[in-house]
Amino acid sequence: MSTAGLSRSRLKRMHQTLSGYVEPKDLAGLVALVSRQDDLHAEALGTLAFGHPASMKRDTIFRVASITKPVTAAAAIILVEECKLRLDDSIDPWPPELANRRVAEVDFSQLDDYLLSNTNVGSPLLLSPMSKRNSCRY
């Protein structure tokens, strides 16, 4: 990706990936928004609901529920990409509520799996490019 703006090749790849969920009817429709610096790209695909003739639009209003888990998972993925967090790190230093617990050790890969598998908002899209390995050198 260039240092400023959005990459056309990556936007095309994003469109192909998102279409791969709408065309086979895994999702009725979706709206995607990507921004970087002053560049903004919005894309609407599909319809409002299965069997509904109205097309999804950029300004379609969605009812949002249980958004905390996917937002937390996306934040964790960003921290992994920035090499500030490893998926095999223990979560012990982070949430004080979990200090001195008497259960098995938990790492971020387990937390990410939980966050992505216990929500119906975007889990296949968030999980697909993510792997348990990253290119950070520690």
Side-chain angles (χ1 to χ4, degrees), residues 8-88:
R8 291 198 188 281
S9 64
R10 287 189 179 186
L11 290 174
K12 182 179 178 183
R13 190 171 72 191
M14 180 188 80
H15 173 81
Q16 291 169 339
T17 300
L18 296 176
S19 294
Y21 290 95
V22 175
E23 290 171 7
K25 306 291 187 212
D26 291 335
L27 294 174
L30 59 85
V31 176
L33 178 70
V34 179
S35 70
R36 182 175 183 167
Q37 296 178 3
D38 291 334
D39 246 347
L40 180 100
H41 174 78
E43 187 162 349
L45 300 170
T47 60
L48 296 178
F50 291 116
H52 197 285
S55 295
M56 192 69 73
K57 296 179 187 170
R58 179 181 171 164
D59 62 350
T60 297
I61 297 173
F62 291 85
R63 182 170 44 158
V64 178
S66 298
I67 197 71
T68 306
K69 290 175 189 170
V71 169
T72 303
I77 291 169
I78 290 168
L79 291 173
V80 169
E81 289 176 347
E82 292 176 351
C83 299
K84 295 178 180 175
L85 176 72
R86 288 176 45 153
L87 288 178
D88 58 354

Side-chain angles (χ1 to χ4, degrees), residues 86-108:
R86 288 176 45 153
L87 288 178
D88 58 354
D89 284 347
S90 173
I91 64 168
D92 287 344
W94 300 100
E97 298 83 10
L98 297 178
N100 303 317
R101 69 187 180 287
R102 295 181 183 180
V103 295
E105 185 173 322
V106 178
D107 65 33
F108 280 100

